[in-house]
Amino acid sequence: MRLLRGAWKVLVGIKDALVLLLLLLFFGLLYMVLTASPNPVVPGEGALHLDLDGVIVEQPENINPFDALTGAETVPQHRLRDIVQALETAATDDRVSAVALDLDGFLGGGQTAVARVADAIQTVRDADKPVIAYATGYGDDAYALAAHASEIWVHPMGGALVLGPGGSRLYYGDMLRRFGVNVNVFRVGEFKSAVEPFSESEQSPEAREANQALADTLFEAWREDVARARPEADLDAIIATPADLVEAANNDLATAARETGMVDEIGTRADWQARLAELAGEDADTGFQAIRLANWIAANPRQGGGTNIGVVTVAGTIVDGEAPPGTAGGETIAELLREASQNHDFSALVVRVDSPGGSALASERMRRAVLQFSEAEGDIPVVVSMGNLAASGGYWVAMAGDHIMAEPGTITGSIGVFSVIPTFEGTLDQLDIGADGVTTTPLSGEPDIFGGLSPEAARLIQSGTEDIYRRFLSLVSENRSIPVERVAEIAEGRVWAGGTARQLGLVDAFGTMDDAIAEAASRAEVEADDVRILWIEQPPDPFAEFIRNWTREDEDAQQTSAPRDIWTMLAPDPRAILATVTAEMQLLLDGPAMQLRCLECPVEVLPGRSSAAEETTLQTMLMAWLRG
């Protein structure tokens, strides 16, 4: 009987596998049929519905199709270049009579990315086309976009608040010591505060000084842009005494926002749609004649000539080996460049960096891959374009460039190195567990996480850390033509905003991605009209794309997520906090790998969008514990 039961289980398993295979083939064939059809139809005239529910990113991550099928929570991601392209083409196309800037559910995307979208919105305004913004509640990022609109609408129960950069982070030093965990820290750089959360209970004076300077610089840039775009807004009063203003408006946040010039109109979503219907025509389903963003992007690809300029993106945490989009795998980027060089001829290369750094080895792997690509194509020029972040390992990669462009809000620098190794000899003592063994050399069994690091191992790891730092300084000195002594003064792991970095010589000029492409064309002596952009990147998973589009509700028919009221913005999202904690604990457990990483940089970790390539076992355990 056991034999029969075993055979039956095997047959059932084969049957289940065949059913799954047939389902995958069915969906794959259905996707090919649907994608073989012409581009989505764009109506003759209407308002471009710019629904920014979710986040703006440099490079969207692949969506797990089974998450989409099971309804697991994911954060919608909008590619920055697609949003900018959509707005800039809408500015000059007669089919677009207005832009419906829908900011309900907008979660941000970093100050530099948001500023780039704001510039594109301003391009529409400059073309004498109305941009009508709507949100239940406006925070800093949403308002930075809305300030460039011709009309700003807010829900009667909503409002607008200026929060500004800053806030608290967790420090685990005392907790780890309580459990007997000894955090062995190896670092170079006075301001390399990335490891402080693992060893201290609060930030050091050096870290506080650097973090405060960075926050002040970023806030001033935000304030200047909003004041320029929305001069009627009383920003000074809104920032200094928000509670006084709300109390003076009978505790009505929406009324306070209108009286201080932050918004123009108070109304529901239906009122906003009726206003758009006046400009773009009525529609029974959506309230106004809407042009879907996805359709508009598909119908307006970027045009180009015959001379290829490549663009490779280094986005997300830098890791060794291969990694999916949204994480920068050293081998993945190198292989993409190698294949592109074999298949095409290029006149220049633009390296787009939006990364807080990561593995020192992977950073060097990518830097050398860029240099090899340039050499294989005949020593073509390489221009680096920095996005929100190009810090630490991201800055190391940038050292492959002939010319570096950033924006005032870019966060860069963080020239420093660290490694952190937890050992658990104190934990074992608390549990009355012994650890003993034999050795044949001073390095046998090192790093010994049970008995503690030997002095010899600790000296070697510190020597390796100092060697990487020396190489970093030399690399910057050679690329930036700055004496190494001067590099040492502005390094020390300190983070700089783009404006300060330019003054220090860490970058060459301000400019957007398009400016970097124009600079690359100029250095290659190519006319701007003759440039064709080839994106050197991993193609999206077709099956995942199909499932995502299939399960997504019509964005014009209803909201894809609940609106964010003004109070939601004030409350921290516990899921995002958990994602951050688990990412930091994973870094602690990753071992002695040399890290060129800027953990002090303001990187948003959102539910469904982790900085790690895969969900960790630790995160799974913590989620199970929280669920009770």
Side-chain angles (χ1 to χ4, degrees):
M1 289 296 294
R2 285 185 179 177
L3 182 62
L4 289 175
R5 287 197 195 99
W8 177 252
K9 288 181 179 179
V10 170
L11 290 173
V12 170
I14 294 173
K15 182 264 295 181
D16 291 342
L18 288 174
V19 170
L20 179 59
L21 179 61
L22 287 173
L23 281 173
L24 292 174
L25 287 173
F26 168 75
F27 282 122
L29 289 171
L30 183 59
Y31 175 79
M32 287 189 288
V33 170
L34 293 176
T35 54
S37 61
N39 282 338
V41 175
V42 173
E45 186 175 323
L48 176 63
H49 187 191
L50 194 63
D51 181 2
L52 294 183
D53 175 38
V55 293
I56 297 172
V57 298
E58 196 68 45
Q59 187 178 69
E61 297 174 352
N62 281 335
I63 299 298
N64 186 328
F66 296 101
D67 284 348
L69 285 171
T70 58
E73 181 184 18
T74 58
V75 177
Q77 299 176 13
H78 309 279
R79 192 192 301 269
L80 173 61
R81 71 172 188 251
D82 290 342
I83 301 298
V84 172
Q85 173 76 2
L87 286 165
E88 291 181 344
T89 54
T92 58
D93 197 306
D94 292 338
R95 292 174 293 177
V96 177
S97 54
V99 171
L101 183 58
D102 194 342
L103 296 171
D104 253 353
F106 180 53
L107 300 176
Q111 190 159 321
T112 295
V114 169
R116 182 67 189 97
V117 175
D119 288 343
I121 293 171
Q122 190 62 49
T123 300
V124 178
R125 289 284 312 280
D126 293 342
D128 294 325
K129 292 189 178 183
V131 179
I132 316 299
Y134 179 85
T136 301
Y138 291 97
D140 296 352
D141 281 352
Y143 196 76
L145 299 182
H148 290 263
S150 45
E151 295 178 22
I152 305 177
W153 287 64
V154 70
H155 191 278
M157 294 180 65
L161 292 174
V162 178
L163 307 181
S168 299
R169 65 165 302 160
L170 296 177
Y171 287 79
Y172 313 104
D174 288 346
M175 180 200 73
L176 292 171
R177 282 187 287 272
R178 181 178 303 166
F179 289 106
V181 180
N182 181 24
V183 180
N184 301 273
V185 172
F186 306 91
R187 67 176 181 177
V188 185
E190 181 181 3
F191 291 93
K192 199 64 188 176
S193 57
V195 292
E196 286 188 357
F198 305 128
S199 59
E200 307 298 330
S201 59
E202 60 184 9
Q203 61 184 331
S204 65
E206 294 81 10
R208 184 180 300 277
E209 174 191 347
N211 294 338
Q212 187 66 57
L214 178 63
D216 291 343
T217 301
L218 294 176
F219 186 51
E220 186 59 30
W222 180 93
R223 186 170 178 164
E224 289 178 359
D225 179 72
V226 170
R228 187 166 49 249
R230 186 84 178 176
E232 60 268 39
D234 188 0
L235 281 180
D236 290 340
I238 294 162
I239 293 169
T241 58
D244 290 348
L245 295 175
V246 173
E247 289 173 358
N250 197 28
N251 300 321
D252 189 326
L253 269 73
T255 299
R258 183 173 59 187
E259 291 180 351
T260 54
M262 290 281 280
V263 305
D264 299 298
E265 302 289 345
I266 299 174
T268 64
R269 173 169 288 273
D271 297 328
W272 174 70
Q273 291 171 339
R275 171 61 179 139
L276 285 162
E278 295 175 2
L279 300 169
E282 295 183 3
D283 183 89
D285 294 326
T286 62
F288 63 95
Q289 187 64 48
I291 301 173
R292 292 187 62 199
L293 178 62
N295 290 11
W296 184 256
I297 291 171
N300 292 275
R302 183 166 185 154
Q303 303 299 318
T307 302
N308 295 332
I309 290 182
V311 178
V312 64
T313 302
V314 178
T317 302
I318 296 172
V319 299
D320 295 311
E322 299 180 349
T327 303
E331 291 303 320
T332 298
I333 300 296
E335 182 62 19
L336 287 171
L337 288 168
R338 187 189 66 79
E339 290 180 357
S341 181
Q342 289 179 344
N343 297 327
H344 303 280
D345 292 324
F346 293 89
S347 295
L349 177 69
V350 174
V351 181
R352 177 68 168 179
V353 181
D354 188 16
S355 170
S359 163
L361 185 62
S363 300
E364 174 64 4
R365 179 74 178 97
M366 286 188 283
R367 186 188 73 87
R368 288 188 177 275
V370 170
L371 295 176
Q372 290 166 359
F373 179 92
S374 173
E375 183 179 353
E377 294 294 323
D379 290 325
I380 61 173
V382 176
V383 175
V384 173
S385 171
M386 293 180 170
N388 291 315
L389 286 168
S392 217
Y395 193 74
W396 182 295
V397 175
M399 293 301 95
D402 304 307
H403 188 78
I404 299 177
M405 303 185 76
E407 298 191 50
T410 297
I411 297 172
T412 188
S414 190
I415 301 169
V417 189
F418 74 87
S419 179
V420 55
I421 306 173
T423 55
F424 301 93
E425 60 271 32
T427 307
L428 297 181
D429 285 343
Q430 292 179 12
L431 298 173
D432 294 328
I433 298 175
D436 200 359
V438 298
T439 64
T440 53
T441 74
L443 298 181
S444 293
E446 295 293 338
D448 185 353
I449 65 170
F450 299 127
L453 299 182
S454 71
E456 195 77 9
R459 288 172 55 196
L460 278 174
I461 296 171
Q462 182 62 36
S463 295
T465 305
E466 293 177 3
D467 177 61
I468 297 294
Y469 185 63
R470 176 188 59 79
R471 292 173 186 270
F472 206 164
L473 296 182
S474 298
L475 199 60
V476 175
S477 175
E478 180 180 350
N479 178 271
R480 306 304 305 156
S481 299
I482 303 174
V484 70
E485 295 80 12
R486 174 56 179 159
V487 176
E489 293 175 2
I490 60 178
E492 296 285 350
R494 183 158 184 171
V495 181
W496 305 99
T500 308
R502 184 182 179 187
Q503 296 173 1
L504 295 173
L506 296 177
V507 302
D508 294 298
F510 292 146
T512 64
M513 178 69 160
D514 288 338
D515 294 327
I517 292 172
E519 177 69 24
S522 174
R523 287 172 173 263
E525 300 181 351
V526 175
E527 293 293 331
D529 294 340
D530 192 38
V531 169
R532 181 175 67 164
I533 304 302
L534 290 183
W535 303 99
I536 304 172
E537 58 190 6
Q538 300 178 68
D541 184 321
F543 182 61
E545 286 294 299
F546 166 69
I547 294 296
R548 176 164 55 183
N549 292 330
W550 180 54
T551 56
R552 180 186 295 162
E553 294 179 333
D554 188 343
E555 64 186 44
D556 294 326
Q558 60 185 57
Q559 283 296 99
T560 54
S561 69
R564 298 182 74 217
D565 69 26
I566 197 66
W567 306 114
T568 304
M569 297 176 201
L570 294 177
D573 187 336
R575 296 162 301 176
I577 294 173
L578 175 62
T580 301
V581 170
T582 54
E584 291 177 343
M585 289 296 103
Q586 185 64 35
L587 174 62
L588 181 65
L589 298 174
D590 276 344
M594 295 297 170
Q595 294 290 318
L596 306 172
R597 187 180 305 200
C598 176
L599 285 189
E600 59 268 45
C601 295
V603 181
E604 284 186 302
V605 181
L606 300 167
R609 182 172 181 259
S610 171
S611 60
E614 299 289 341
E615 187 181 53
T616 65
T617 303
L618 174 63
Q619 185 167 351
T620 304
M621 293 168 60
L622 282 172
M623 286 297 291
W625 175 72
L626 285 178
R627 289 169 181 162

